[in-house]
Amino acid sequence: MDYLFYLKELAEEKLKLGKFKTAQNYLSAGRSFGVYLRYAQRVKDLPIESLTRDLLVDYERYLHDSRGLRRNSSSAYMRALRAVYRRAVDDGLSAQP
């Protein structure tokens, strides 16, 4: 399953549970990560198992260098992306811990 697709499914689940802020955080991080994937990786989405530490380090560098975000903003995006990834691992969609 593709990561951004899965992220959107989780956001919809959070909305149904009334967790509006969490859903908003997931979607905001997903939009930002999607822009990065199109810009730097030249893809629209990627399989969950393709998400690597190196890719996330590069994404965080992109947020600081290209987007001019400060540490607090980038860490909010990173927290949301990690939470979605951990849920994917729990759901058996990726074997990477």
Side-chain angles (χ1 to χ4, degrees):
M1 176 175 287
D2 288 336
Y3 182 78
L4 293 176
F5 179 81
Y6 183 72
L7 181 144
K8 288 176 187 171
E9 284 186 345
L10 283 185
E12 289 174 12
E13 180 182 302
K14 296 295 182 186
L15 284 173
K16 289 177 186 173
L17 294 172
K19 297 184 176 190
F20 302 111
K21 186 64 174 170
T22 302
Q24 182 181 16
N25 289 341
Y26 284 6
L27 292 172
S28 180
R31 279 190 301 274
S32 174
F33 191 57
V35 168
Y36 163 77
L37 289 176
R38 288 187 299 278
Y39 168 78
Q41 303 296 317
R42 306 284 192 245
V43 296
K44 289 186 178 186
D45 206 344
L46 69 147
I48 291 171
E49 57 274 359
S50 295
L51 199 64
T52 64
R53 184 184 191 318
D54 290 340
L55 179 67
L56 291 176
V57 166
D58 191 47
Y59 168 62
E60 191 167 23
R61 188 177 311 116
Y62 159 82
L63 290 175
H64 296 155
D65 297 345
S66 297
R67 304 290 295 179
L69 295 184
R70 303 265 178 157
R71 178 82 48 208
N72 284 345
S73 298
S74 67
S75 65
Y77 288 148
M78 300 306 289
R79 263 192 316 275
L81 295 178
R82 279 192 305 271
V84 170
Y85 181 76
R86 281 190 218 112
R87 175 72 184 273
V89 170
D90 290 346
D91 287 348
L93 300 174
S94 179
Q96 296 179 9

